[in-house]
């Protein structure tokens, strides 16, 4: 048995336990052994029951003296009264209470010994703990696992008690050699707890050992992360980049024509970018600055440096509104310089020059298809797909996954009902339907229509952005419903019957590596010949794949992975756009860049590493500049953005109006409305922001659509407009145009205006249910005002008067400095909520805490940098053990994009 052994293979773990463990994503021995305790309880010796309230939770042990169930109206309260061991006349019992948890009374009985954990409070003469964590201590052969020691307490789930989970882990530790689970550390990071660290973190002998072994394992997690970051930086530096030598005349003309002067911080950032652009290695830089600090003009100057050197530049924004605003701004500033600019979004494609680069050329990679609109496949026509002697891979089919990941690739199979045979004509219909949705709901890598089943290899596309501006992808169920419903009707019509055509679909797994993709691609495209449906060298026209060039398929799929951004040098068009602005459409549509030299990603926190990779995984590698108006706490710059150089604009442009923030509760809304009407009468404009589009039964929050009519009455005769994510793109564009032109005075909106909207005359913002937003998001929203010379006012309205909420929102009252707000948000919410490692492509942290363990992160970073600086190839005998950490990163490269 090793760490990769499936828990299902262990006969001593009952099936119900396996299912419960799966809910915690614990499927292998390694998963379970690295399911670390969230805390420990010292059960060697318990303190006596307290006589007064406790500020912090305490761990106590006592015997259940009596229990009772009480009813008050519709509520049920179960109480268990505990007495401490060796109780005497002066001892005071402890009452534990649970509200409306009827199952608790079935678990606790008089005479049992309980360990409870919670905060003690006094109510009259009684000492109480409400809803304590508890565990029943049973006198059996396993008592020493759970009692009279420092005992681990784990994240658990229904059907999996602490006692059961602890027993499983204890038994596994007895049976498995755990040395292989530990990350090798250089001598500079060792603290003497290298041996059996995994065993000690679960069952430490004392507090000092627990502290040391936790530090050791956290250093291991951080060192693995930092080795991968350092390796990524080294790999990026080693890639063939594009030098952009230019005199900077275009950038100078642009800056000279601006109605303001660059701040010293902007100039410093531009100099850093210019230095990188002139180097041989590809730039990989993060430009961060507060809302309104002038990042966009620095990015435009950088794009002009690339254009002057003969390259193209791309600017990708997270929303259509922001992309269209960038396009309008670039045109107004750069048309006089003769710069050709194109806009590419899902709903709008426009050029200020002929669009020859984007026309579908006769010889494009996806033309020259077979008669059914597909590339006819012949057995052996693909690289390395000669069927002789090949063993067909076996796949374990399951139903569709319970969750779907962004940018994932899926291999899917669905069969005809009762193995109904599809005629040649109906197979044409199926393939036509599959191709119909390619580029609209998914990217198609391969398809094969067999006589009684269908294979697909696809990557779902972005369907829309939600209210937070995050990407929502087409679900597999929606994609398959589109194909199956369309084909079922057509097939029944052709065959003049009315019967079910398709069975439920199945899938084998998400594609996690290039080898996975290659294997599955070959399996699908060889299937007719391997199954004997087609003879060797015989055509089978119901197999489709993007036309492959005569090079290894993995390289070909890296081209497609780059979003069809590659274009042969000989296809360069002199009338091509110099700068292409777009949304996610840049990743999918036929945007064949002729010579992409610089990719700029705006509001990059709305994208993941995967999407950045779509723009940049081409050779020669383009330079990359990513921008964020959400300042990054320093510890995150060492982790999530550790592979990027950092430029910071820490100075605001002169002439910006002051922003004053007011925090009020809902009962004082009238004050804000009177103030708002006064400002509108002065000719100013206002944003009124809500967290929801429509009312929700589950959330106590106001909604923009319902409140719109109310605001029309409140602000009459001033004109109001409603804007949210479900409005059609063309209508959104019209609404924003009317508001920008001053035809509407108030915009009632959701967070679709969170980033990039720049209307200097809008000087008032009112945010309803402000408690439902994070500090950084509120700061982003507030950044939509204060963009002109007038003083602006932001009203935060909350219905939650709790100390926690008022303390959080008071931060925005006190400061408009985004760096201070980011640190406060970090303190309040933690790194997990701010920006998890899931979208970064870095390994998950199971034990380390980026905020609490910042000092350990710095040590791990220093050790990784020194190691790779002194031995880049890890060739030294003492360093070869670290190679697996780098190989792990390389093995994950494709899955980041999946």
């Amino acid at each position: 048995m090793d760490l990769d052994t499936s828990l299902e293979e262990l006969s001593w773990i009952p099936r119900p336990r396996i299912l419960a463990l799966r809910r915690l994503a614990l499927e292998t021995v390694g998963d379970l052994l690295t399911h670390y305790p969230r805390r420990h309880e010292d059960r060697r010796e318990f303190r006596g029951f307290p006589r007064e309230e406790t500020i912090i939770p305490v761990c106590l042990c006592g015997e259940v003296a009596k229990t009772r169930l009480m009813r008050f109206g519709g509520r049920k309260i179960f109480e268990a009264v505990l007495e401490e061991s060796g109780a005497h006349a002066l001892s005071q019992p402890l009452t534990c209470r649970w509200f409306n948890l009827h199952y608790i009374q079935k678990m606790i009985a008089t005479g049992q010994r309980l360990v409870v954990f919670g905060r003690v409070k006094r109510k009259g003469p009684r000492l109480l703990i409400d809803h304590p964590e508890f565990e029943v201590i049973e006198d059996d052969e396993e008592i020493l696992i759970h009692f009279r020691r420092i005992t681990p307490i784990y994240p658990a789930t229904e059907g999996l008690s602490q006692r059961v989970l602890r027993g499983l882990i204890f038994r596994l530790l007895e049976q498995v050699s755990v040395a292989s689970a530990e990350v090798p550390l250089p001598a500079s990071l060792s603290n003497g707890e290298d041996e059996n660290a995994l065993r000690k973190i679960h069952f430490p002998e004392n507090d000092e050992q627990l502290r040391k072994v936790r530090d050791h394992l956290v250093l291991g997690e951080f060192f693995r992360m930092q080795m991968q970051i350092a390796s990524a930086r080294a790999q990026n530096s080693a890639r063939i980049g594009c030098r952009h030598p230019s005199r900077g005349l275009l950038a100078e003309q642009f800056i000279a024509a601006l109605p303001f002067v660059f701040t010293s911080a902007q100039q410093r950032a531009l100099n850093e970018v210019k230095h990188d652009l002139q180097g041989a290695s590809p730039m990989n830089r993060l430009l961060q600055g507060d809302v309104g600090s002038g990042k966009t003009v620095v990015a435009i100057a950088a794009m002009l440096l690339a254009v002057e050197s003969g390259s193209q530049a791309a600017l990708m924004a997270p929303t259509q509104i922001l992309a269209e605003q960038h396009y309008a701004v670039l045109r107004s500033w750069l048309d006089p310089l003769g710069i050709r600019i194109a806009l590419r979004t899902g709903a709008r494609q426009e050029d200020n020059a002929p669009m020859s680069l984007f026309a579908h050329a006769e010889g494009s990679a996806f033309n020259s298809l077979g008669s059914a609109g597909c590339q006819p496949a012949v057995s052996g026509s693909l690289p390395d797909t000669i069927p002789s002697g090949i063993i067909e891979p076996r796949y374990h089919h399951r139903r569709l996954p319970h969750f779907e990941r962004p940018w994932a690739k899926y291999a899917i199979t669905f069969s005809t009902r009762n193995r109904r045979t599809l005629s040649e004509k109906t197979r044409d219909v199926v393939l036509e339907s599959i191709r119909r949705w390619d580029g609209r709901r998914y990217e198609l890598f391969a398809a094969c229509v067999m006589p009684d089943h269908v294979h697909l290899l696809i990557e779902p596309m972005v369907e829309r952005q939600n209210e937070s501006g995050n990407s929502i992808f087409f679900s597999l169920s929606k994609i398959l419903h589109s194909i199956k419903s369309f084909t079922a009707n057509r097939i029944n019509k052709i065959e003049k019957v009315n019967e079910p055509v398709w069975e439920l679909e199945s899938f084998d797994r998400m594609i996690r590596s290039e080898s996975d993709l290659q294997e599955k691609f070959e399996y699908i495209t060889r299937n007719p010949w391997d199954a004997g449906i087609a003879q060797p060298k015989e055509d089978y026209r119901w197999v489709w794949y993007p036309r492959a060039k005569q090079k290894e398929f993995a390289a070909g799929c890296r081209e497609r992975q780059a979003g069809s951004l590659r274009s042969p040098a000989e296809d360069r068009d002199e009338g091509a756009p110099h700068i292409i602005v777009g949304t996610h459409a840049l990743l999918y549509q036929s945007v064949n860049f002729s010579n992409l030299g610089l990719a700029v990603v705006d509001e990059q926190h709305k994208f993941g590493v995967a999407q950045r990779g779509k723009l940049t995984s081409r050779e020669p590698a383009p330079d990359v500049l990513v921008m964020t108006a959400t300042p990054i706490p320093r510890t995150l710059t060492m982790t999530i953005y550790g592979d990027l150089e950092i430029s910071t604009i820490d100075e605001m442009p002169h002439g910006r109006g002051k922003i004053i923030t007011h925090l009020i509760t809902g009962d004082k809304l009238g004050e804000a409305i009177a103030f708002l009407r006064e400002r509108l009468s002065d000719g100013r404009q206002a944003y009124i922001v809500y967290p929801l589009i429509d009312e929700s039964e589950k959330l106590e929050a106001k909604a923009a659509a319902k409140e719109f009519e109310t605001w029309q009455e409140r602000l009459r005769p001033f004109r109001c407009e409603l804007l949210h994510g479900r409005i059609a793109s063309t209508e959104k564009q019209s609404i924003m145009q009317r508001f920008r032109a001053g035809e509407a005075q108030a915009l009632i909106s959701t967070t679709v205006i969170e980033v990039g909207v720049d209307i200097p005359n809008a000087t008032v913002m009112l945010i309803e249910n402000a408690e439902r937003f994070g500090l950084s998001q509120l700061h982003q929203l507030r950044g939509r005002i204060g963009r002109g010379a007038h003083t602006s006012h932001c009203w935060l309205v909350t219905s939650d008067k709790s100390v926690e909420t008022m303390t959080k929102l008071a931060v925005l009252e006190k400061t408009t400095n985004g760096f201070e707000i980011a640190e406060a948000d970090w303190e309040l919410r933690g790194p997990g909520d701010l920006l998890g490692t899931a979208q970064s492509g870095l390994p998950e942290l199971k034990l380390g805490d980026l905020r609490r363990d910042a000092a350990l992160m710095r040590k791990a970073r220093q050790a990784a940098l020194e190691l790779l600086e002194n031995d880049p190839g890890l060739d030294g005998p003492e360093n070869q053990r670290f190679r697996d950490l780098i190989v792990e990163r390389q093995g994950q490269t494709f899955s980041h994009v999946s």
Side-chain angles (χ1 to χ4, degrees):
M1 179 169 56
D2 58 27
L3 297 174
D4 293 325
T5 301
S6 171
L7 295 175
E8 291 183 336
E9 297 177 26
L10 306 182
S11 58
W12 50 271
I13 302 181
R15 179 68 182 171
R17 300 270 191 269
I18 295 290
L19 297 176
L21 289 166
R22 197 172 288 161
R23 285 200 296 273
L24 293 172
L26 305 177
E27 300 199 6
T28 67
V29 170
D31 291 340
L32 188 49
L33 291 182
T34 55
H35 185 65
Y36 295 120
R38 56 185 170 86
R39 62 181 176 84
H40 289 78
E41 290 179 355
D42 190 345
R43 298 183 179 178
R44 294 171 297 182
E45 184 175 341
F46 291 93
R47 67 175 74 178
F49 284 8
R51 300 293 178 258
E52 295 297 334
E53 293 187 350
T54 61
I55 298 174
I56 60 173
V58 293
C59 182
L60 304 169
C61 181
E63 185 174 308
V64 180
K66 60 180 179 180
T67 64
R68 64 172 176 167
L69 180 65
M70 299 177 292
R71 288 179 171 82
F72 292 96
R75 290 205 308 172
K76 292 181 181 178
I77 303 177
F78 176 69
E79 289 188 350
V81 178
L82 303 187
E83 289 186 347
E84 60 185 318
S85 178
H88 49 80
L90 297 178
S91 298
Q92 185 167 4
L94 181 69
T95 302
C96 299
R97 303 191 302 182
W98 291 268
F99 297 86
N100 294 323
L101 296 175
H102 59 279
Y103 62 88
I104 298 289
Q105 69 186 90
K106 299 176 183 178
M107 304 170 66
I108 296 176
T110 303
Q112 287 178 331
R113 191 159 41 150
L114 293 189
V115 173
V116 296
F117 180 81
R119 192 170 69 84
V120 179
K121 64 181 182 180
R122 178 176 287 282
K123 187 172 183 181
R126 297 201 301 169
L127 292 174
L128 306 170
I129 302 183
D130 287 337
H131 290 268
E133 296 181 25
F134 73 94
E135 186 175 338
V136 177
I137 301 300
E138 300 176 14
D139 286 317
D140 57 18
E141 68 275 8
E142 289 191 347
I143 188 170
L144 293 180
I145 299 176
H146 313 286
F147 207 55
R148 301 192 186 99
R149 69 185 315 148
I150 296 178
T151 308
I153 305 297
Y154 298 97
T157 186
E158 184 180 350
L160 202 63
S161 68
Q162 289 293 332
R163 183 181 179 82
V164 169
L165 198 49
R166 196 180 300 125
L168 291 174
I169 291 173
F170 187 88
R171 184 167 178 179
L172 276 183
L173 287 169
E174 295 293 311
Q175 297 182 9
V176 178
S177 170
V178 296
S180 58
E182 298 170 20
V183 176
L185 292 177
S188 62
L189 295 181
S190 177
N191 65 358
E193 291 294 342
D194 298 22
E195 282 191 37
N196 295 320
L198 205 54
R199 191 183 308 277
K200 293 172 185 174
I201 192 66
H202 290 286
F203 299 100
E205 294 178 5
N206 52 58
D207 292 336
E208 178 64 16
Q209 185 183 80
L210 175 59
R211 184 189 63 77
K212 281 187 161 187
V213 78
R214 183 189 177 279
D215 283 357
H216 171 77
L217 290 172
V218 169
L219 278 169
E221 287 189 335
F222 287 171
F223 183 66
R224 176 195 285 117
M225 177 183 284
Q226 291 299 336
M227 284 292 285
Q228 294 184 10
I229 290 169
S231 170
R233 289 176 71 110
Q235 288 174 23
N236 187 66
S237 298
R239 291 179 71 192
I240 300 171
C242 305
R243 288 183 182 272
H244 298 292
S246 70
R247 295 170 60 191
L249 298 179
L250 282 174
E252 286 176 9
Q253 290 178 54
F254 164 66
I255 293 170
L258 291 173
F260 52 84
V261 178
F262 258 34
T263 63
S264 57
Q266 286 174 307
Q267 190 59 55
R268 181 181 67 241
L270 180 58
N271 291 341
E272 291 167 350
V273 171
K274 186 175 183 178
H275 178 268
D276 286 355
L277 289 173
Q278 293 174 343
S281 298
M283 174 174 73
N284 208 19
R285 183 169 287 276
L286 169 70
L287 177 61
Q288 67 169 346
D290 209 343
V291 177
S293 61
K295 298 177 297 299
T296 303
V297 288
V298 173
I300 294 172
M303 288 190 285
L304 291 175
L305 292 172
V307 168
E308 188 175 334
S309 72
S311 297
Q312 277 184 315
L315 173 57
M316 186 166 73
T319 66
Q320 179 165 335
I321 289 175
L322 183 53
E324 290 182 349
Q325 177 169 290
H326 280 320
Y327 177 64
V329 169
L330 286 171
R331 287 204 58 177
S332 66
W333 282 347
L334 302 186
D335 276 357
L337 298 178
I339 303 298
R340 296 188 295 274
I341 306 164
L343 175 67
R344 296 290 177 268
T345 71
R348 184 180 169 200
Q349 302 202 6
E350 184 176 314
D351 291 62
N352 68 345
M355 210 167 61
S356 53
L357 174 67
F358 296 92
H360 288 280
E362 286 294 320
S364 71
F366 293 98
N367 289 344
S368 307
L369 302 179
S371 58
C374 62
Q375 174 70 30
V378 178
S379 177
S381 66
L382 287 171
D384 304 321
T385 61
I386 307 299
S388 57
I390 290 179
I391 300 172
E392 179 179 323
R394 281 186 266 173
Y395 295 101
H396 174 63
H397 289 279
R398 303 188 295 276
R399 294 300 177 205
L400 291 178
H402 294 300
F403 62 93
E404 298 167 21
R405 295 182 181 174
W407 308 107
K409 294 175 176 62
Y410 298 94
I412 300 170
T413 300
F414 55 96
S415 304
T416 57
R417 181 72 62 89
N418 300 322
R419 290 296 178 182
R420 176 176 171 178
T421 301
L422 298 172
S423 66
E424 292 189 357
K425 192 171 183 179
T426 55
R427 273 178 269 173
D428 287 340
V429 168
V430 176
L431 189 57
E432 177 192 344
S433 175
I434 292 168
R435 293 283 294 125
R436 177 188 182 194
W437 298 107
D438 180 23
R440 296 164 66 185
R441 295 196 168 183
Y442 50 79
E443 186 174 358
L444 182 63
F445 289 88
C448 174
V449 183
M450 298 288 278
D452 60 3
H453 64 277
V454 177
H455 295 296
L456 295 177
L457 186 57
I458 62 171
E459 176 183 308
M461 293 174 61
V462 174
E463 180 179 10
R464 58 186 172 84
Q465 272 80 45
N466 65 12
E467 292 311 303
S468 300
N470 297 318
S471 301
I472 304 298
F473 291 75
F474 281 104
S475 66
L476 293 178
S477 59
K478 182 178 287 189
I479 287 170
L480 292 164
H481 177 75
S482 303
I483 296 171
K484 291 162 79 172
S485 63
F486 176 80
T487 54
N489 291 332
R490 293 277 300 276
I491 290 170
N492 279 334
K493 191 173 291 186
I494 289 169
E495 298 187 345
K496 298 179 180 178
V497 295
N498 187 20
E499 298 175 353
V501 176
W502 302 112
E503 295 280 7
L504 286 175
E505 59 280 338
S506 59
F507 93 120
D508 56 47
R509 64 181 182 273
M510 285 185 293
I511 305 302
R512 298 185 181 278
S513 65
E514 288 186 12
S515 59
D516 252 9
L517 184 62
Q518 169 121 10
E519 181 185 80
K520 199 59 187 171
F521 174 86
E522 292 176 358
Y523 171 73
I524 291 173
T525 54
R526 284 202 318 257
N527 199 238
W529 297 277
D530 290 353
I533 301 299
Q535 297 303 310
K537 305 301 179 184
E538 177 188 352
D539 286 359
Y540 187 83
R541 73 173 188 261
W542 300 284
V543 171
W544 184 93
Y545 58 90
R547 181 177 159 198
K549 296 180 181 179
Q550 295 305 311
K551 55 178 78 171
E552 62 170 318
F553 175 69
C557 67
R558 274 193 294 271
E559 292 182 16
R560 290 188 295 282
Q561 172 186 330
S564 301
L565 299 179
R566 292 172 178 264
S567 180
E570 60 267 27
D571 288 344
R572 287 189 63 182
D573 190 325
E574 291 304 319
H578 296 117
I579 296 173
I580 302 173
V581 183
T583 55
H584 302 80
L586 292 182
L587 307 178
Y588 287 117
Q589 301 187 6
S590 302
V591 183
N592 295 310
F593 288 93
S594 58
N595 183 26
L596 181 61
L598 173 63
V600 179
V601 182
D602 194 11
E603 296 302 331
Q604 63 76 41
H605 62 285
K606 301 288 185 183
F607 300 94
V609 166
Q611 291 156 306
R612 270 196 270 147
K614 287 263 187 179
L615 271 176
T616 60
S617 57
R618 61 195 305 275
E619 299 292 345
D623 291 305
V624 179
L625 180 66
V626 299
M627 299 192 294
T628 179
T630 303
I632 313 298
R634 188 170 180 273
T635 307
L636 280 184
T637 64
M638 294 190 294
T639 54
I640 309 298
Y641 305 106
D643 60 331
L644 303 175
E645 301 296 336
I646 311 290
S647 291
T648 301
I649 300 179
D650 52 8
E651 185 180 351
M652 297 297 285
H654 301 295
R656 284 292 174 97
K658 182 180 178 182
I659 301 178
I660 301 171
T661 301
H662 314 267
L663 173 58
I664 62 171
T665 52
D667 53 1
K668 296 183 179 177
L669 181 61
E671 295 178 22
I673 294 172
F675 180 87
L676 201 156
R677 289 187 61 88
E678 183 182 319
R679 286 295 185 270
L680 296 186
S681 299
D682 292 340
R684 307 279 81 81
Q685 292 167 281
Y687 301 103
I688 298 155
V689 183
Y690 285 89
L692 305 174
I693 298 176
D694 298 312
E695 283 191 312
S696 166
E697 293 180 1
K698 296 180 180 179
L699 300 176
E700 292 184 9
K702 294 181 180 179
K706 185 171 189 321
E707 297 292 320
F708 177 61
E709 291 182 7
T710 304
W711 279 104
Q712 285 181 308
E713 289 299 320
R714 287 170 176 166
L715 301 181
R716 197 176 301 277
F718 300 107
R719 179 174 175 177
C720 299
E721 294 272 12
L722 175 65
L723 181 71
H724 56 71
R726 292 210 293 264
I727 291 175
S729 296
T730 51
E731 180 60 18
K732 275 188 207 168
Q733 185 182 339
S734 300
I735 292 168
M736 288 305 300
Q737 186 57 42
R738 289 194 294 270
F739 190 64
R740 202 172 272 118
E743 296 172 20
Q745 287 71 47
L747 188 65
I748 289 79
S749 172
T750 57
T751 55
V752 292
I753 61 156
E754 179 186 347
V755 292
V757 175
D758 187 354
I759 299 173
N761 192 49
T763 62
V764 182
M765 175 173 284
L766 186 145
I767 304 175
E768 285 268 23
N769 294 115
E771 73 279 358
R772 301 200 62 81
F773 301 94
L775 284 180
S776 292
Q777 190 176 24
L778 287 169
H779 182 58
Q780 283 280 336
L781 287 166
R782 182 173 61 178
R784 299 314 102 216
I785 58 176
R787 293 183 165 257
H790 304 285
T791 298
S792 295
H793 295 262
C794 178
W795 294 78
L796 304 177
V797 185
T798 178
S799 56
D800 183 356
K801 299 180 182 180
S802 68
V803 173
E804 183 183 32
T805 294
M806 300 305 281
T807 302
K808 178 182 91 168
L809 298 178
V811 173
L812 291 159
E813 251 192 330
K814 294 173 187 172
T815 182
T816 56
N817 185 307
F819 292 89
E820 293 177 12
I821 290 167
E823 292 294 339
D825 212 11
W826 169 269
E827 290 296 323
L828 288 167
R829 295 201 293 155
D833 288 334
L834 279 177
L835 191 56
T837 57
Q839 77 158 1
S840 73
L842 293 173
E844 178 189 2
L845 295 177
K846 293 188 174 183
L847 194 59
D849 182 305
L850 292 178
R851 184 177 48 187
R852 170 185 171 186
D853 301 313
L856 296 178
M857 178 63 82
R858 285 191 287 272
K859 284 180 67 175
R861 178 178 175 80
Q862 185 63 31
L865 291 174
E866 287 179 0
L867 181 63
L868 287 175
E869 186 177 338
N870 296 330
D871 188 3
L874 299 177
D875 298 318
E878 72 284 3
N879 293 333
Q880 290 181 12
R881 61 198 173 116
F882 301 122
R883 285 183 174 178
D884 283 347
L885 304 180
I886 306 302
V887 170
E888 179 183 331
R889 168 77 185 195
Q890 293 170 340
Q892 290 176 350
T893 300
F894 197 92
S895 67
H896 292 171
V897 179
S898 298

